[in-house]
Amino acid sequence: MIISDRLFNFVGSNQGSWKVLETKTIIGASLEVVTHLEILPGMIEPNCQWNLKGMVSNERYVTRSEKVELVVKQEALGRPTSLYGALIPIRKNPAWWALTQDERRQIFEESSNHIRIGLKFLPAIARKLHHCRDLEEHQPFDFLTWFEFSKADSGAFDDLLAALRASPEWKFIDREVEIRVEKMEKY
Ligand code: HEM
């Protein structure tokens, strides 16, 4: 059994620290609609509608100069003003995974400007990326992307999604679900 501090569970059920406001299926199969989301570390099997697992991993694409810019601008999760969030699980198609690393980087940044676009939304949007492909147990998505922001920045987050979804990178995405959440007061 893998027990790792890099493993996280995004648990959908009728309880949890985040209340689900909206579940939108962008492409591919939907996820069962739940009322709450909880994020829990470690190897667990909670009683729930679904438990999506992902690992924080090393970076694949970012260059040193991009990393310097990101580190200067980005803020951590858990800010007291970040009462809104989004879990966006994503799967990329076999054509993407058949590419080489340099071909993927070309699409990700040189053609799609993923980082260039994302940087414009820092520090308003805090983010964390989890990888799912290399886990022992088969996962329905390749990535679990998690974002936190204030109510005032919810519109900016919509603009960010629109810009990324219009990019060539998104043509390789065959399953995407957007789960928008609000932090529960008692937590
Ligand atoms: C808040 C602004 C954002 C910034 C600054 C940002 C930045 C980045 C960076 C630097 C990476 C590459 C990490 C690496 O080197 O491996 C990355 C990967 C990724 N991001 Fe974003 N991102 C942002 C928003 C988003 C949004 C809104 C989504 C989803 C709707 C998203 C989905 C992804 C995915 C799926 C990957 C993994 C791509 C792959 O490995 O094929 N990002 N992001």
Side-chain angles (χ1 to χ4, degrees):
M1 196 207 291
I2 309 171
I3 299 176
S4 165
D5 54 4
R6 294 192 291 118
L7 179 65
F8 290 88
N9 302 263
F10 288 80
V11 181
S13 73
N14 59 3
Q15 56 183 2
S17 359
W18 297 87
K19 181 165 67 125
V20 174
L21 301 173
E22 195 182 8
T23 303
K24 267 198 279 185
T25 303
I26 308 301
I27 188 168
S30 57
L31 260 184
E32 188 180 340
V33 174
V34 294
T35 56
H36 292 74
L37 175 72
E38 188 61 284
I39 307 169
L40 297 168
M43 196 69 192
I44 53 162
E45 297 301 340
N47 193 10
C48 58
Q49 267 61 54
W50 40 259
N51 179 13
L52 304 176
K53 296 177 201 280
M55 280 261 203
V56 175
S57 186
N58 58 288
E59 287 158 333
R60 269 67 164 173
Y61 300 112
V62 73
T63 63
R64 174 56 59 192
S65 59
E66 288 162 351
K67 185 163 175 131
V68 168
E69 266 190 85
L70 286 163
V71 168
V72 167
K73 281 194 87 179
Q74 70 199 6
E75 287 182 4
L77 300 178
R79 294 171 295 187
T81 52
S82 288
L83 298 177
Y84 287 76
L87 167 65
I88 307 185
I90 284 178
R91 189 178 71 192
K92 284 184 169 173
N93 66 20
W96 173 265
W97 294 110
L99 296 171
T100 59
Q101 185 70 17
D102 59 327
E103 289 167 332
R104 286 198 289 264
R105 158 74 201 191
Q106 179 69 34
I107 295 162
F108 176 81
E109 191 56 24
E110 280 68 31
S111 310
S112 302
N113 294 302
H114 187 124
I115 300 172
R116 195 57 32 218
I117 292 169
L119 273 164
K120 290 192 221 149
F121 294 85
L122 303 185
I125 314 295
R127 74 195 165 92
K128 195 165 166 205
L129 175 65
H130 309 76
H131 289 253
C132 320
R133 273 172 75 79
D134 295 332
L135 293 175
E136 204 172 357
E137 188 188 329
H138 173 75
Q139 294 296 312
F141 295 93
D142 295 332
F143 306 98
L144 304 176
T145 65
W146 171 250
F147 306 91
E148 291 178 8
F149 41 86
S150 68
K151 185 172 192 156
D153 288 318
S154 297
F157 186 67
D158 290 329
D159 296 343
L160 166 63
L161 291 177
L164 288 176
R165 286 177 183 151
S167 73
E169 183 193 357
W170 249 253
K171 295 198 169 43
F172 292 89
I173 291 175
D174 66 6
R175 191 172 181 199
E176 179 178 7
V177 181
E178 178 182 328
I179 302 158
R180 301 285 282 254
V181 295
E182 180 181 2
K183 205 166 209 170
M184 298 283 289
E185 267 167 32
K186 69 181 171 106
Y187 286 89

